[in-house]
């Protein structure tokens, strides 16, 4: 069972966020420490720790998260953006509730650090 994370508290409405979207399956909100002029997160309401824990049953949900993030990006008139999913501590994951970063508004570097 996932421990109560800061994102679970956001889903529960216990702590505020700059919400961009909410539906039955997910919520999207601006990152509190933006790493680009546009930086928002899309997270499932289902408490999944990371991609590692996803099963085939989560396939539609994963697609939905990407679709919603892209819809938000396009609604912001963005044409270029980067999506990032950190999985595990070594990758840089700090909040153990699955989330997709959408970053835009500046030139991105490759390879990522
Ligand atoms: P990770 O490093 O796990 O891939 O990304 C976690 C992200 O969550 C970070 O970019 C961090 O700035 C963001 N974050 C952490 N706590 C909060 C919070 O309370 N509110 C919001 N909006 N973002 C948060």
């Amino acid at each position: 069972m996932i421990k109560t994370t800061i994102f679970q508290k956001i889903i529960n409405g216990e702590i505020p966020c700059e919400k961009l979207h909410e539906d039955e399956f997910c919520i999207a909100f601006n990152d509190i420490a933006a790493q680009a002029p546009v930086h928002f997160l899309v997270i499932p309401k289902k408490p999944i720790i990371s991609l590692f824990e996803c099963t085939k049953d989560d396939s539609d949900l994963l697609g939905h998260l990407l679709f919603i993030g892209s819809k938000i990006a396009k609604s912001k008139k963005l044409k270029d953006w980067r999506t990032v999913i950190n999985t595990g501590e070594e990758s840089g994951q700090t909040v153990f509730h699955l989330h997709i970063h959408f970053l835009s508004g500046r030139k991105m570097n490759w390879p990522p650090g």
Side-chain angles (χ1 to χ4, degrees):
M1 183 58 187
I2 195 169
K3 278 197 255 167
T4 300
T5 63
I6 199 90
F7 290 174
Q8 189 60 53
K9 290 182 181 168
I10 287 176
I11 291 167
N12 296 347
E14 291 162 24
I15 62 167
C17 70
E18 292 175 11
K19 197 183 294 178
L20 303 172
H21 172 89
E22 180 167 10
D23 63 35
E24 189 182 346
F25 303 107
C26 72
I27 179 167
F29 52 89
N30 286 326
D31 196 293
I32 204 165
Q35 300 300 312
V38 175
H39 185 178
F40 64 88
L41 305 170
V42 185
I43 72 172
K45 288 187 171 174
K46 181 177 175 183
I48 303 171
I49 295 170
S50 76
L51 273 186
F52 187 88
E53 282 74 22
C54 287
T55 69
K56 193 169 190 324
D57 288 346
D58 298 314
S59 301
D60 287 353
L61 175 61
L62 290 171
H64 182 70
L65 301 177
L66 282 170
F67 175 73
I68 291 297
S70 299
K71 198 171 148 183
I72 294 167
K74 286 194 272 187
S75 77
K76 291 176 175 290
K77 309 285 182 220
L78 301 174
K79 285 194 280 190
D80 304 89
W81 61 81
R82 177 168 292 177
T83 48
V84 175
I85 306 175
N86 293 321
T87 303
E89 273 176 39
E90 283 270 298
S91 77
Q93 186 175 5
T94 58
V95 179
F96 292 89
H97 182 122
L98 178 66
H99 51 282
I100 306 178
H101 296 258
F102 282 76
L103 300 120
S104 187
R106 67 168 168 81
K107 178 92 172 72
M108 298 291 162
N109 299 315
W110 194 263

